[in-house]
Protein backbone atom coordinates (compact mmCIF):
# COMPACT_ATOMS: atom_id res chain seq x y z
CA UNK A 1 0.00 0.00 0.00
CA UNK A 2 1.19 3.53 -0.72
CA UNK A 3 2.49 5.79 1.98
CA UNK A 4 0.17 8.71 1.18
CA UNK A 5 -0.28 10.65 4.43
CA UNK A 6 -4.07 10.64 3.95
CA UNK A 7 -4.38 6.90 3.36
CA UNK A 8 -5.14 4.47 6.15
CA UNK A 9 -2.90 1.66 7.31
CA UNK A 10 -4.30 -1.80 6.69
CA UNK A 11 -5.26 -4.01 9.62
CA UNK A 12 -2.19 -6.10 8.86
CA UNK A 13 0.05 -3.04 9.03
CA UNK A 14 -1.46 -1.98 12.35
CA UNK A 15 -0.98 -5.53 13.66
CA UNK A 16 2.64 -5.57 12.53
CA UNK A 17 3.31 -2.13 13.97
CA UNK A 18 1.75 -2.79 17.39
CA UNK A 19 2.65 -6.46 17.67
CA UNK A 20 -0.91 -7.38 18.62
CA UNK A 21 -3.91 -8.91 16.86
CA UNK A 22 -6.51 -7.88 19.44
CA UNK A 23 -7.90 -4.40 18.76
CA UNK A 24 -7.93 -3.54 22.48
CA UNK A 25 -4.20 -4.28 22.72
CA UNK A 26 -3.56 -2.32 19.51
CA UNK A 27 -5.39 0.70 20.93
CA UNK A 28 -3.40 0.46 24.18
CA UNK A 29 -0.11 0.60 22.25
CA UNK A 30 -1.31 3.51 20.14
CA UNK A 31 -2.50 5.39 23.22
CA UNK A 32 0.85 4.84 24.92
CA UNK A 33 2.67 6.16 21.85
CA UNK A 34 0.36 9.17 21.45
CA UNK A 35 -0.83 8.14 18.00
CA UNK A 36 -4.27 9.44 17.10
CA UNK A 37 -6.78 7.00 15.65
CA UNK A 38 -10.49 6.43 15.26
CA UNK A 39 -12.17 3.16 16.11
CA UNK A 40 -14.21 1.38 13.48
CA UNK A 41 -17.46 -0.48 14.19
CA UNK A 42 -15.52 -3.65 15.04
CA UNK A 43 -13.28 -1.89 17.57
CA UNK A 44 -10.18 -1.84 15.38
CA UNK A 45 -8.15 1.38 15.29
CA UNK A 46 -8.02 3.20 11.96
CA UNK A 47 -4.83 5.22 11.56
CA UNK A 48 -3.64 7.49 8.79
CA UNK A 49 0.01 7.55 7.81
CA UNK A 50 0.08 11.19 8.91
CA UNK A 51 -1.00 10.26 12.45
CA UNK A 52 1.58 7.50 12.57
CA UNK A 53 4.41 9.76 11.41
CA UNK A 54 3.32 12.72 13.55
CA UNK A 55 2.40 11.47 17.05
CA UNK A 56 1.10 13.93 19.62
CA UNK A 57 4.53 14.37 21.21
CA UNK A 58 5.92 15.65 17.90
CA UNK A 59 2.91 17.86 17.27
CA UNK A 60 3.01 19.33 20.77
CA UNK A 61 6.74 20.05 20.50
CA UNK A 62 6.19 21.90 17.23
CA UNK A 63 3.37 23.96 18.74
CA UNK A 64 5.19 24.80 21.97
CA UNK A 65 8.43 25.59 20.19
CA UNK A 66 10.42 22.96 22.09
CA UNK A 67 13.33 22.70 19.72
CA UNK A 68 17.01 23.43 19.70
CA UNK A 69 16.90 26.21 17.14
CA UNK A 70 18.05 29.69 18.10
CA UNK A 71 15.50 32.39 18.69
CA UNK A 72 16.08 34.64 15.68
CA UNK A 73 13.34 37.00 16.87
CA UNK A 74 15.58 37.97 19.78
CA UNK A 75 18.26 39.36 17.45
Amino acid sequence: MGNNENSFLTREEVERMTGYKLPSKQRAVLDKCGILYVTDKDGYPSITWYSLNNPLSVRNAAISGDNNEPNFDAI
Side-chain angles (χ1 to χ4, degrees):
M1 171 149 255
N3 190 342
N4 177 339
E5 70 179 22
N6 294 321
S7 64
F8 286 93
L9 280 75
T10 64
R11 283 189 180 180
E12 292 80 18
E13 290 169 326
V14 175
E15 181 181 324
R16 192 172 338 126
M17 182 190 68
T18 61
Y20 291 101
K21 288 187 177 194
L22 289 174
S24 60
K25 296 282 190 177
Q26 293 174 350
R27 293 191 311 266
V29 169
L30 296 170
D31 290 338
K32 183 178 179 181
C33 294
I35 298 172
L36 294 177
Y37 61 89
V38 293
T39 306
D40 70 10
K41 64 182 177 94
D42 297 325
Y44 285 90
S46 295
I47 312 160
T48 62
W49 281 100
Y50 180 83
S51 287
L52 176 65
N53 293 321
N54 297 284
L56 290 176
S57 61
V58 172
R59 293 181 198 187
N60 291 339
I63 292 170
S64 67
D66 290 345
N67 56 31
N68 294 328
E69 295 180 13
N71 182 359
F72 293 110
D73 293 332
I75 297 175

